[in-house]
Amino acid sequence: MLILLATQKLAPAYGTAKAASFAIGFYVAHNVFYAAFAPIAGWLADHFKKPLVLSAGYALAAIMAVLIIALPATIWTFVLIFVLGGIYVAIEETLEDSLCAELVNEEQHGMAFGVLATVNGIGDFLSSIVVGLLWTQFGTTVAFTYSAVLFALGALLVLRTRPTS
């Protein structure tokens, strides 16, 4: 979605081909920050409460969505958005499984990770449909407002989680 957004928003100023090239470059930066921040997220998880770190990651995603709505569509805005997105994904990917392991007994880890993967897969599918429909029918502001609200609610819910171990 971010690649499409960057391409659409930058195309009037740079043309479709150049805007798409920028968007791909932003995505490379996203992946670099994702890879670089994942060990940092793991370190944070080892030194702070996992729900707090994961909640901060979801809150970062909410901030990213708000910035998409609030900031002008410039190259530097998209650099910021894609970097924040990479950091958010690093936290989410690192912490969800780790926190899941603390929420269930060790003998239930396989089932818990399977359920988590299923819920994430179904959630990604449904949210892509909903955000796509909102984007198509009402524009990016409504689509990303919806995303920001869900990320913020997720951050609050995770913050309330109390691991058993």
Side-chain angles (χ1 to χ4, degrees):
M1 274 187 8
L2 291 179
I3 294 170
L4 175 62
L5 177 71
T7 302
Q8 284 182 345
K9 296 290 185 176
L10 294 175
Y14 298 99
T16 304
K18 192 164 189 167
S21 293
F22 280 133
I24 298 301
F26 301 151
Y27 189 65
V28 170
H30 172 278
N31 287 332
V32 167
F33 275 83
Y34 166 35
F37 201 80
I40 296 168
W43 182 89
L44 290 169
D46 290 340
H47 291 84
F48 299 96
K49 294 182 179 185
K50 287 178 179 69
L52 178 64
V53 178
L54 183 56
S55 179
Y58 289 158
L60 186 63
I63 291 167
M64 181 187 73
V66 169
L67 292 177
I68 289 169
I69 298 163
L71 294 179
T74 67
I75 289 175
W76 292 111
T77 297
F78 283 110
V79 168
L80 175 63
I81 288 166
F82 276 77
V83 166
L84 291 177
I87 294 169
Y88 149 68
V89 172
I91 294 170
E92 181 258 333
E93 292 280 329
T94 303
L95 272 287
E96 279 187 353
D97 287 342
S98 180
L99 179 59
C100 178
E102 291 184 5
L103 295 174
V104 299
N105 296 326
E106 187 174 344
E107 56 273 358
Q108 296 171 322
H109 280 178
M111 178 61 84
F113 294 147
V115 169
L116 176 61
T118 300
V119 168
N120 278 340
I122 292 169
D124 289 347
F125 177 69
L126 293 176
S127 68
S128 295
I129 290 171
V130 170
V131 171
L133 288 172
L134 290 173
W135 187 331
T136 303
Q137 295 298 314
F138 304 105
T140 56
T141 299
V142 172
F144 284 99
T145 298
Y146 171 81
S147 298
V149 168
L150 288 183
F151 279 127
L153 289 173
L156 291 173
L157 288 172
V158 169
L159 197 56
R160 296 175 44 100
T161 302
R162 301 289 178 247
T164 57
S165 56

